[in-house]
Amino acid sequence: MFLINCPYCGERDQQEFKAGGEAHIERPKQPTELSDDEWAEYLFMRKNIKGVQFERWNHAHGCRKWFNMVRDTSNDEIKAIYKMGEKPPSQ
Amino acid sequence: MTKNLRVKSSEYIDETNRISFKFNGKTYHGFKGDTLASALLANDVHLVGRSFKYHRPRGIMTSGSEEPNAIVQVNPGTNRTEPNVRATEVEIYNGLEASSQNCWPSVEFDIGGINNFLSPFFPAGFYYKTFMWPASFWEKYEFFIRHSAGLGKSPTSNDPDIYDHRNIHCDVLVVGAGISGILAAKNAAKNNFKTLLVDEKNELGGSTIFENNEFNKIDNKTPSEWLKKEIEEIKGIKNLEIKTRTSVAAYHQYNYLLARENLTDHLETKDKTHKIRQRLLKIRAKKVILATGALERPLIFNNNDRPGIMLSSAIKKYSEFYGVACGSKNVFFTNNDTAYESAMSLYNKGINIEAIIDIRDQSESKIVKKVKEAGIKIYWSHTVVDTAGYKRLNSVSIMKLSNDGTSVTGSKISISCDCLGVAGGWTPAVHLYTQSGSKLKFDEEKKVFLPSQNKSEQISVGACDGDFKLDEIIKNLNQKLKDNLNIKETDLDTIKVEIDQENSKRNIWLLPSDKPLGKTKPFVDYQNDATAKDIKLALREGFRSIEHVKRYTTTGMGTDQGKLGNMHALGIIADTAGVKMGELGTTTFRPPYTPLTFGTIVGRNVGKFFDIFRRTPMNDWHVENKAEFENVGQWKRAWYYPINGETMHQAVQRESKAARESAGILDASTLGKIDIQGSDASEFLNRVYTNAWSKLAIGKCRYGLMLNEDGMVYDDGVTTRLGENHYIMTTTTGGAANVLGKLEDYLQTEWPELDVYLTSVTDHYATASLCGPNSKKILKKIIPDLDLSDENFPHMSFKEAKIGNIKCRIMRISFTGEHSYEINVQASYGKDLWEKCIEAGKEFNITPYGTETMHLLRAEKGFIIVGQDTDGTMTPIDLQMDWIVSKKKYDFIGKRSLYRSDTMREDRKQLVGLLTDDPNIVLEEGAQIVSELNQNPVKMLGHVTSSYFSPNLKKSIALAVVRGGKDMMGKKLFVPMENKNINVTVANPVFYDEKNERLNA
Ligand SMILES: [Zn+2]
């Protein structure tokens, strides 16, 4: 059970949060211009890394804000948390 | 026949408080402070159970939670009965009853004991190999296995006890209140850390509390004397909370630990009632100090499992702590000095020691000298090769060990005895450490797995970190506390420790016998009856991974998770495979450390507290009017309102007719409602719904379909424009929270530039849906001054009005195809509104209807229910709802996916109507649909999603999804059922009032 430092509320128990998958996958601005393959790349393909992964999380049972997390999936160490729209920390 | 084996008055046993209890139906006596195990031993009862596979007689082996054999059923036949309880942990009280498990008809005479003589036929993997084929025999196998396995009996009536959960946040959690834990907790608390100290036992002090080696001293006192003073001192420290009878079950990431606090199990039944039995502590600690100690290992030799064979440390504890001698003729068998301490404990109480058998060739420590001076016979370089006695040990046979320890030589000596204490060294209790995700390393010299690191948020101290000697413990503990808690001085700086030095070591994982291994029974896992022979067989059969060997032989798979024998199993594997133990890896210890009751896990979340439930403001009326309820998400919704003993079918038929013929009323308060405001609200709706929203006039309503980005239908509902920048969206009852979450996601992460604010207002409004040809007249009676003409208040529009002083929002929208109004008021006026409608509707026979009738009425109109007629694989095109998908809009959620090659396939499942050729047959929802009956295998075309008997059409109707169904209008298909095939015809899904004439009726 992680202890997650919501950038708006502070440290809270994991059960207040919802994981939202890989971060920094931007919705294409002009979806109709994309081929089936390009759209499928956006829609379906995710990396699911063993190691350092950039993720989206939502403080669903708290402030309802979405934010980003850098997590090592091999040992669940949370390396960084930053707000939506902010640049990911350089590794 | 029973003899009293009490040896001296112990300060932990209250001999003035005599307690009567029953074991296997027979009454015994013990004293307050006894465990079931110590009280039985005092009555000379060793035989307490039968082993799992061979049904061999088994006795009490240990004095703690690691006990593999003495597993009992407590209070059998009562509603408080609990199986798989360790007799070593049960504190006795007047009226306690316990019985052996895994034996039939009795522990003394057990039919399964025949397995023992058949044991050559029960090798490792026996169950896997034998009960495999044919599959149809499994029922019989299962019966046989379950009947003989007998892991206790579950209670058959409700648990009368209360369980509880508590969240605890602390700076330092210390697990284990032995000497290391007590000193760690004391120094943490004294340095202003909010500290919690927990221990699974009812007394603090661990094993040091009965430490009796006269050659070990702390500040010139015996360790037990010194520690008692410390215990008194810590009880008064503020900042320090101490919890006994509290066992840490799980250690999760980020220092989140679960512990079970046992509050009433030691009390008499009359004192248990109305009290919390067990409490689950959910602990979040900034730092965790593990002081979990070490478990003594047995030795693995032929027939090492007979009742009377016990751990040497357990014999010492029974003698020193409980004042009980475990035997009257004792032998010890050891590879280290601790057995000599146990021997001296008995000797000093005048109990007979027959001999000590030591696999080492000598030891020069003071305690060994003392034993020699006492005239106790020591057999150096000897091993036990066999034991005798079926229900109780009566002798051991010993022989001289060869120099390399793999064989025995010379002649066999038999020693008569009734108790054998075995001492195989110590295994650090690293279970919780590994549960936390931290890694172990193997220490070749100590032959133990040790924590490989101490991190800032977690340290291991004392025996669980491999420090077994008092001087090491104190010295290392002091340093770790200073480093980890950033303390300059501790009271450990000045402690003077003297210890008796042990200097020779010898470790043999599997001790040889004069018989070949195949003819011996050296048990490694007592609870699961796995022997060294089984482990070697698994290796011969090609198993290599420790995890595979474990599962194949079931070693370590019992309720004790093999706390005693896991190290030997690894050692035997390493020796046999010729690899180093460090390279072999260790198995994973999983939570819980000791079994937890279901009650503790669920706490108060039972019965009506099992899940949250939501009730509408009209709920009391529904209850008073005898509605049946159904669960929709967390909501309790009125399902139907039976009158005069109607069945559900009868009630629904009546309600459906009434709603179409005159007037019906539905409680629609559960529909999700989201208030949407902001200057970009229209643009936002354009992006989330498939149809266009910018031109919707203020005061108008529109139905919308929401997709996922993959093009599949996600939710639907009517949204009303209340103002220039203000909308109210309705969602499905079950989808409300998810829709809000999804919309927030897009707003915050994809379109942060939009000026839009979302607020859930589901609970703020109560909604009554008034429908039927007389609905207008009823509304007119309630709000006489509102112009209800079609010109002023047409279908799909909205008005604000007042019922008396109560403000309301009225939408003229319809989910039934009838002329209808949804009236929304502030939630607290919901019941009032409902009663006004009922009162006003009386002359029109207004009929309240529930969700079942609502489903039927909308099915007559072919309206979908998201989640019933769709399942996350249906596009709007599949639903034949092309009309709602805007071709003009550049983009909306899911639009691009509608043009993927897969979503454009012609042969996708599409929504159609189905009519049965026999109008009286109602199809089963979920039934499969085929076009050919004689195909093999038959091709499944789709399935029925909604099906009812329509009282208004006087025939059966159904909605279904069928492959390529769009082009099948009028086609004959079949619904094959268990004993008949039903003929059906594909039809238009709008069965009733196709031209929507009734909306304005
Ligand atoms: Zn937050």
Side-chain angles (χ1 to χ4, degrees), chain A residues 4-10 12 16-17 58-67:
Chain A
I4 297 173
N5 194 3
C6 170
Y8 304 93
C9 310
R12 294 289 191 277
E16 293 185 14
F17 296 85
N58 180 223
H59 195 184
H61 301 284
C63 63
R64 281 179 22 202
K65 284 283 195 184
W66 283 88
F67 57 89

Side-chain angles (χ1 to χ4, degrees), chain B residues 207-227:
Chain B
S207 61
T208 310
I209 205 72
F210 50 90
E211 175 61 69
N212 64 340
N213 186 333
E214 61 191 281
F215 305 108
N216 292 339
K217 289 268 159 53
I218 304 177
D219 287 346
N220 294 320
K221 293 196 177 78
T222 65
S224 61
E225 238 181 301
W226 184 84
L227 188 61

Side-chain angles (χ1 to χ4, degrees), chain A residues 1-3 13 27 30-36 39 42-43 56 64-66 76-78 84, chain B residues 252-254 256 284 709 740 744-746 748-750 758 890-893 896-897 899-901:
Chain A
M1 197 75 92
F2 307 167
L3 197 59
D13 195 280
R27 185 174 190 272
Q30 297 174 314
T32 44
E33 314 290 309
L34 302 182
S35 68
D36 268 13
W39 180 246
Y42 159 71
L43 196 55
R56 289 154 23 95
R64 281 179 22 202
K65 284 283 195 184
W66 283 88
D76 287 330
E77 195 189 320
I78 296 171
M84 279 293 157
Chain B
H252 298 295
Q253 300 139 324
Y254 292 84
Y256 182 66
R284 210 44 112 158
E709 205 67 272
L740 181 69
E744 277 286 355
D745 187 354
Y746 275 91
Q748 288 180 35
T749 68
E750 299 292 351
L758 306 176
Y890 180 70
D891 191 15
F892 56 82
I893 297 170
R896 176 60 187 83
S897 291
Y899 302 97
R900 290 179 59 235
S901 55

Side-chain angles (χ1 to χ4, degrees), chain B residues 79-81 155-163 277 597-600:
Chain B
N79 54 4
R80 282 202 167 84
T81 191
T156 50
S157 50
N158 281 351
D159 189 335
D161 284 315
I162 306 165
Y163 299 82
R277 180 191 172 201
T597 58
F598 283 110
T600 311

Side-chain angles (χ1 to χ4, degrees), chain B residues 422-442:
Chain B
V422 290
W426 297 83
T427 301
V430 292
H431 309 71
L432 292 175
Y433 173 84
T434 60
Q435 278 184 24
S436 76
S438 299
K439 298 281 173 265
L440 297 169
K441 62 171 192 288
F442 189 70

